[in-house]
Amino acid sequence: MRVLLIGANGYLGRHVADRLLADPAVQLTALGRGDDADVRFDLSTGSPGALTRFLDAVHPGVVVNCAGTTRGGARDLIRHNTVATATVCESLRRSGCGARLVHLGCAAEYGPSPAGSSTGEDAVPRPGSPYGVSKLAASELVLGSGLDAIVLRVFSPVGPGTPTGSPLGRLAEAMRRVMQQGEGELRLAGLSVQRDFVDVRDVARAVHAAALSAAQGVVNIGSGRAVRLREVVSVLGRVAGHTGAVHEMDEQHSAGGGPQVPPYPDGCGPWQQADVRSARDRLGWRPRIGLEESLADIWMEAACRI
């Protein structure tokens, strides 16, 4: 099976590449902006015609779109998330390869949900951030493209390679810093937020399963359990050996008295939990890696950082 992976250099893309390369039946080609991609191509500026010519030459059976960005202003988010996806869809429509499209969406497309609820794929998306809007627009382009396509709405990915600028990456770095400096107390804000964490390697397994399946539409990828950030701090402290106190600051102020940046500025409010029954029933997928293992991997990388 020939697979074209777009965005192989990103956090999710690297793990998807590893998973696909482990399948001897897969012939993988990576397309991206980095020097280590098999083919260099910038979706945000490249033309659909150029990508169509490449698709016709490679003739993949599956295209996996992991490209995108979580940072930047509205213009950057639209260009790298929405316009880039429009280029992929238009190129596939023009191409004669007939490839199946596996597109990675995100839980920010749903926006806030009631505490205690599980968000199913039939929920009406109401994104509460520019990022969520840009990702929802991309997913809608995929769903309305007429292609053989599936959108995997990934909830909060964790595990090895977690970006240092992400909420859990910042948390691990803060813990490393206080332990390195011999400070006992860790001061944090926003610990009441609850998110559905799923290991990035389980996400990669879901992509692999989606590539092999005939399922279409939207499928949630999460653990099916919301975890309070306070519990995440406790588990991370245990695996790190942090014995100091954790002091929860007022959410409006940091330790220095200035405004506190929310730990999850994704526009999803205090609660989010996935209903993952469709992933089980339609893809034969279940999460395998527990949160403690994911956090241990995050800590290992943070502890080795100089």
Side-chain angles (χ1 to χ4, degrees):
M1 178 175 64
R2 291 178 180 171
V3 178
L4 175 64
L5 174 59
I6 304 173
N9 299 324
Y11 172 41
L12 297 179
R14 290 194 298 271
H15 290 278
V16 170
D18 289 343
R19 177 71 187 187
L20 294 175
L21 286 169
D23 184 346
V26 170
Q27 180 182 337
L28 183 66
T29 300
L31 183 148
R33 290 180 290 172
D35 292 335
D36 52 349
D38 296 322
V39 178
R40 292 192 65 182
F41 190 88
D42 189 340
L43 284 175
S44 65
T45 58
S47 70
L51 184 55
T52 299
R53 289 190 292 273
F54 177 73
L55 290 170
D56 287 339
V58 175
H59 213 78
V62 177
V63 173
V64 178
N65 183 23
C66 295
T69 186
T70 60
R71 296 183 179 184
R75 179 175 295 181
D76 287 335
L77 292 168
I78 292 296
R79 184 168 71 249
H80 291 291
N81 293 334
T82 312
V83 174
T85 301
T87 298
V88 173
C89 292
E90 180 60 24
S91 301
L92 282 169
R93 279 194 295 263
R94 295 183 187 183
S95 173
C97 68
R100 172 172 172 77
L101 175 60
V102 179
H103 174 76
L104 267 66
C106 71
E109 297 173 35
Y110 286 122
S113 55
S117 67
S118 291
T119 302
E121 291 84 356
D122 59 349
V124 177
R126 294 186 176 90
S129 68
Y131 170 66
V133 170
S134 71
K135 289 294 290 184
L136 176 60
S139 292
E140 292 295 339
L141 286 171
V142 171
L143 296 172
S145 66
L147 300 168
D148 174 13
I150 183 171
V151 173
L152 301 181
R153 280 203 176 126
V154 179
F155 278 63
S156 298
V158 293
T162 293
T164 56
S166 69
L168 293 194
R170 292 197 303 269
L171 172 59
E173 178 60 22
M175 189 168 289
R176 183 196 67 79
R177 189 165 55 250
V178 299
M179 293 177 67
Q180 187 179 53
Q181 295 173 355
E183 300 175 4
E185 189 174 77
L186 184 62
R187 294 174 175 268
L188 301 167
L191 299 185
S192 62
V193 169
Q194 298 181 71
R195 288 292 182 268
D196 186 325
F197 298 102
V198 57
D199 192 273
V200 67
R201 291 158 293 192
D202 281 333
V203 174
R205 286 181 42 249
V207 171
H208 191 196
L212 298 173
S213 79
Q216 297 185 345
V218 177
V219 175
N220 288 339
I221 302 299
S223 69
R225 183 174 78 95
V227 178
R228 196 178 302 273
L229 197 60
R230 189 178 298 111
E231 181 182 339
V232 171
V233 173
S234 176
V235 174
L236 185 62
R238 184 166 66 249
V239 301
H242 177 257
T243 57
V246 176
H247 181 65
E248 185 170 2
M249 303 296 295
D250 184 283
E251 295 195 12
Q252 299 301 316
H253 299 87
S254 66
Q260 174 66 43
V261 176
Y264 275 88
D266 54 10
C268 293
W271 169 277
Q272 198 171 56
Q273 177 175 285
D275 182 335
V276 293
R277 288 175 294 180
S278 287
R280 178 195 64 201
D281 297 340
R282 302 177 65 197
L283 302 180
W285 176 90
R286 289 182 174 85
R288 293 178 181 173
I289 300 174
L291 181 59
E292 183 161 347
E293 182 177 345
S294 304
L295 293 175
D297 288 330
I298 293 175
W299 174 249
M300 182 65 70
E301 293 177 347
C304 293
R305 197 173 299 122
I306 298 175

